[in-house]
Amino acid sequence: MAAKKPKRNKSALKRARQAKKREARNRAVKSTIKTLVKKVEAAISQNNKEEVQKALKIAIKYISKAASKGVIHKNTASRKISRLMKKANTVLSSGTVTSPPSATAA
């Protein structure tokens, strides 16, 4: 028995196009998140406080935005931010570092 033909009506075709666009956009956002996390971790491994703070601020902002747009789940975003902060605080422990301002409220 042959495979079923895909739907041919207008709404099904449009939904397929929309899904393809969303998939590409979400993949790009997730890839950027991974890159930003790697930048933070690289700065941590070099013990560069200024670079860690800069990279951490950018990463947290981007992760929060992705969660608010629905690209990743809010709990996943919270977990990623928490783990990043925990790692960053090992380098930044000499200064006073608190949780990021409204990281999950974005």
Side-chain angles (χ1 to χ4, degrees), residues 13-14 17 28 34 46 90 104:
L13 294 173
K14 183 176 179 179
R17 285 194 311 268
K34 289 177 192 173
Q46 295 172 356
T90 60
T104 55

Side-chain angles (χ1 to χ4, degrees), residues 9-79:
N9 60 19
K10 282 184 178 181
S11 61
L13 294 173
K14 183 176 179 179
R15 295 302 292 176
R17 285 194 311 268
Q18 289 175 334
K20 197 173 180 181
K21 280 186 204 173
R22 285 192 187 105
E23 180 187 358
R25 190 179 306 126
N26 291 348
R27 189 181 311 129
V29 170
K30 288 178 185 180
S31 176
T32 304
I33 288 172
K34 289 177 192 173
T35 303
L36 292 172
V37 168
K38 285 178 190 175
K39 284 183 181 180
V40 173
E41 289 172 347
I44 290 169
S45 67
Q46 295 172 356
N47 287 329
N48 186 345
K49 286 186 183 184
E50 291 177 12
E51 193 62 35
V52 169
Q53 286 178 331
K54 262 195 255 180
L56 187 64
K57 184 177 178 182
I58 293 167
I60 289 172
K61 184 176 179 181
Y62 203 84
I63 292 169
S64 298
K65 189 172 184 179
S68 70
K69 298 286 183 184
V71 176
I72 58 175
H73 194 273
K74 65 177 187 168
N75 291 353
T76 303
S78 186
R79 184 177 63 246

